[in-house]
Amino acid sequence: MTKHIFVTGGVVSSLGKGITAASLAMLLKHRGYRVAMQKLDPYINVDPGTMSPFQHGEVYVTDDGAETDLDLGHYERFAGVVCSQASNYTTGRIYSNVINREREGGYLGGTVQVIPHITDEIKKAVASLDSDDNDITITEIGGTAGDIESLPFLEAIRQFKHGAGENNSIFIHLTLVPYIKAAGEMKTKPSQQSVGILRNIGIVPDILICRTEKPMQDEHFSKLALFCNVNKKFVIEERDVANSIYEVPVELARQEVDLKILKLLDLEPHDLDISNWENMVERVINNEKSEVTIAVVGKYTSLRDAYKSIYESLDHAGISNDSKINILMVEAEELEKSDNFDLISKADGILVPGGFGDRGISGKLKAIQYARENNIPFLGICLGMQCAVIEFARNVLGYKDANSTEFDEKSNYPVIDLMLEQKTITNKGGTMRLGAYPCTLIPDTKAAKAYDNVSDISERHRHRYEFNNDYREDIDSQGLKIVGTSPDGKLVEMVELIGHPWFVACQFHPEFKSRPLTPHPLFNDFIKAALNK
Ligand code: GLN
């Protein structure tokens, strides 16, 4: 039977609910339990696929092609849980399921209402991960207690716990205990009020996790326990960590949150061994051996969350190479404006990530040309690969207006173009090439070497445009070699530049598969090359 943990948040957003939920999953897995995770997002978009990274951070993609909230990246990175379409539901998705059913006559003439129809649909989403192979599902509720949009979700989980029976589900509330400098005091009132909001709708947290800047004193634990109606043992401090988010599970383990959860769920407290993880955290803290600077040339550089998995993957490769990674976020448009390469000249490696739309493209092309001509290690991802192909076609093959038809439909050299089946699609939601696809690598290439000479790999995609096969011969024969393709050979998945120390680009998104203990091979070799520059 699957037991359930619900994680809600209060007072403010951005408390790190996703990281906390992922850390709990990681600990429970290390105690021998099989854990699944999901996030319920109260916004109306059917999925985050069509949302700007400026609004909501990166869109994380699962193996089965779901375009999801970036918190799922934390779930997979921390806990190694496999996320899927069932791991992210939004209000939009819940409502469209209910409305579609209504249109099909599924409610037999009944009035369709938030309670019970929407709440039932939410409960179905929560139960969708129940199985004999899953001991515990952790469900994170997006947003903050008190948001209008969250109400049906909170009502649904209240009902869920009510129906689940004793010891089968628990509520964990993440809250903020701010330090007020002028008063020199930490304040518990916002947490009391946030728990008050939950209590109004019938939810009483079993565990309170308090985000703080400073250590909490005994009086704070007592006050929070008394006024939030939580057992004092179950008031947990989650103080800001100094070096890395990967310290969070270690901190939570120190306070035995995992054991407390197992007790509340009436599950055996198997032993915990997280020494691998602790060693990894040690390596993050003592990474003084070497340092590299990587320029990430993109268009969402002002928002860290927009390239979350890229930055994490760079850090993972830093850990395995015992090297500190300095990330230089370079706004492609800045590079476009001037021929001033100072912005990237200090970099030991240049990375051009994925993206959509033509803003900043010529800046990215400049950065790629600079990397190509100056032997700077380069990693191109998705749009980054497409730009590397355009740059090569323009500046090496002399195809002056070579372009992707995403940016110029009339280009004489459309080196990147839509495949036939994409040309007729007008619906923008969920219609790209999404999720895991196999790729075959050519032996004796840098790409194959990175993957330990394995020839068949699987990587995740999220794009509409592809390398145009009409230009394959020209480009490959002049030195931008096609080193990875779909198994049938029809789609170009990877290219690398012959005679360059390390210039590799891929049509897929390797950043979604990197983990702190097992960095992604391409990031790992990219950082190695940057260290050897
Ligand atoms: N805009 C490009 C495409 O749709 C690249 C997408 C990406 O980088 N994720 O093909």
Side-chain angles (χ1 to χ4, degrees), residues 139-409:
T139 302
E140 176 190 346
I141 315 293
T144 308
D147 294 346
I148 291 178
E149 297 97 328
S150 305
L151 278 174
F153 290 95
L154 296 176
E155 168 61 12
I157 63 171
R158 181 196 70 74
Q159 291 183 15
F160 195 98
K161 186 179 184 194
H162 182 80
E166 224 24 38
N167 303 116
N168 289 333
S169 64
I170 60 167
F171 293 131
I172 297 182
H173 190 56
L174 191 70
T175 177
L176 176 73
V177 178
Y179 173 73
I180 307 294
K181 222 170 165 184
E185 270 181 60
M186 290 174 80
K187 293 293 184 187
T188 61
K189 186 64 66 73
S191 302
Q192 295 175 38
Q193 288 177 336
S194 160
V195 172
I197 293 171
L198 288 181
R199 205 183 301 122
N200 265 342
I201 35 189
I203 291 179
V204 181
D206 298 283
I207 294 180
L208 203 61
I209 299 187
C210 307
R211 294 283 290 108
T212 70
E213 233 178 290
K214 299 200 179 272
M216 281 168 35
Q217 307 304 322
D218 188 61
E219 54 165 321
H220 302 123
F221 286 95
S222 302
K223 233 175 168 179
L224 285 161
L226 179 64
F227 297 122
C228 297
N229 207 23
V230 175
N231 185 326
K232 190 172 167 189
K233 279 200 312 255
F234 297 138
V235 179
I236 309 292
E237 173 192 284
E238 191 186 304
R239 210 181 325 149
D240 294 352
V241 285
N243 303 288
S244 158
I245 51 170
Y246 299 123
E247 288 173 68
V248 175
V250 180
E251 265 309 297
L252 292 175
R254 198 180 48 75
Q255 296 176 72
E256 300 187 329
V257 192
D258 48 336
L259 271 185
K260 291 171 188 175
I261 290 173
L262 292 175
K263 190 173 167 54
L264 287 168
L265 290 175
D266 199 18
L267 291 170
E268 283 296 311
H270 310 311
D271 288 344
L272 178 71
D273 178 5
I274 53 167
S275 48
N276 270 353
W277 191 274
E278 286 170 325
N279 291 341
M280 180 270 292
V281 170
E282 272 304 303
R283 283 175 85 170
V284 177
I285 298 170
N286 302 314
N287 61 358
E288 305 300 322
K289 270 198 212 145
S290 56
E291 220 172 292
V292 274
T293 300
I294 302 298
V296 175
V297 183
K299 69 168 183 175
Y300 312 112
T301 48
S302 56
L303 186 78
R304 240 195 118 77
D305 274 357
Y307 297 122
K308 187 95 201 158
S309 295
I310 300 258
Y311 298 147
E312 289 298 308
S313 304
L314 288 169
D315 280 345
H316 301 161
I319 298 170
S320 62
N321 285 290
D322 288 312
S323 173
K324 182 168 182 273
I325 309 283
N326 302 314
I327 294 172
L328 204 61
M329 299 177 204
V330 179
E331 189 58 48
E333 271 184 312
E334 290 296 318
L335 216 53
E336 202 164 84
K337 281 190 220 142
S338 68
D339 268 329
N340 176 0
F341 288 100
D342 284 357
L343 283 170
I344 51 173
S345 63
K346 285 181 197 69
D348 303 303
I350 293 176
L351 188 155
V352 176
F356 295 84
D358 62 359
R359 188 168 68 75
I361 290 296
S362 61
K364 291 177 190 177
L365 295 177
K366 271 189 186 173
I368 294 170
Q369 183 175 6
Y370 184 86
R372 182 174 57 76
E373 292 176 347
N374 294 285
N375 286 337
I376 316 279
F378 168 77
L379 176 59
I381 294 179
C382 206
L383 180 64
M385 178 189 110
Q386 298 176 353
C387 286
V389 172
I390 297 168
E391 192 280 322
F392 190 81
R394 285 188 191 176
N395 300 327
V396 177
L397 302 184
Y399 299 166
K400 284 296 165 239
D401 77 334
N403 217 331
S404 162
T405 50
E406 180 179 4
F407 315 126
D408 177 7
E409 283 191 36

Side-chain angles (χ1 to χ4, degrees), residues 61 352-357 361 364 381-386 404 406-407 416-418 432-433 461-466 506-509 511-512:
V61 181
V352 176
F356 295 84
I361 290 296
K364 291 177 190 177
I381 294 179
C382 206
L383 180 64
M385 178 189 110
Q386 298 176 353
S404 162
E406 180 179 4
F407 315 126
I416 306 292
D417 196 9
L418 288 178
M432 285 185 265
R433 178 143 81 104
H461 291 248
R462 180 174 184 250
H463 55 99
R464 222 177 279 287
Y465 293 81
E466 307 279 354
C506 49
Q507 186 55 78
F508 48 78
H509 288 272
E511 71 272 25
F512 297 139

Side-chain angles (χ1 to χ4, degrees), residues 415 419 466-473 489-492:
V415 290
M419 298 296 279
E466 307 279 354
F467 187 115
N468 184 343
N469 284 331
D470 293 348
Y471 297 94
R472 228 158 130 158
E473 283 272 323
K490 288 194 177 138
L491 297 168
V492 172

Side-chain angles (χ1 to χ4, degrees), residues 79-98:
V81 296
V82 178
C83 288
S84 66
Q85 299 278 358
S87 311
N88 198 188
Y89 287 85
T90 66
T91 292
R93 184 165 169 200
I94 296 285
Y95 268 77
S96 52
N97 288 350
V98 170

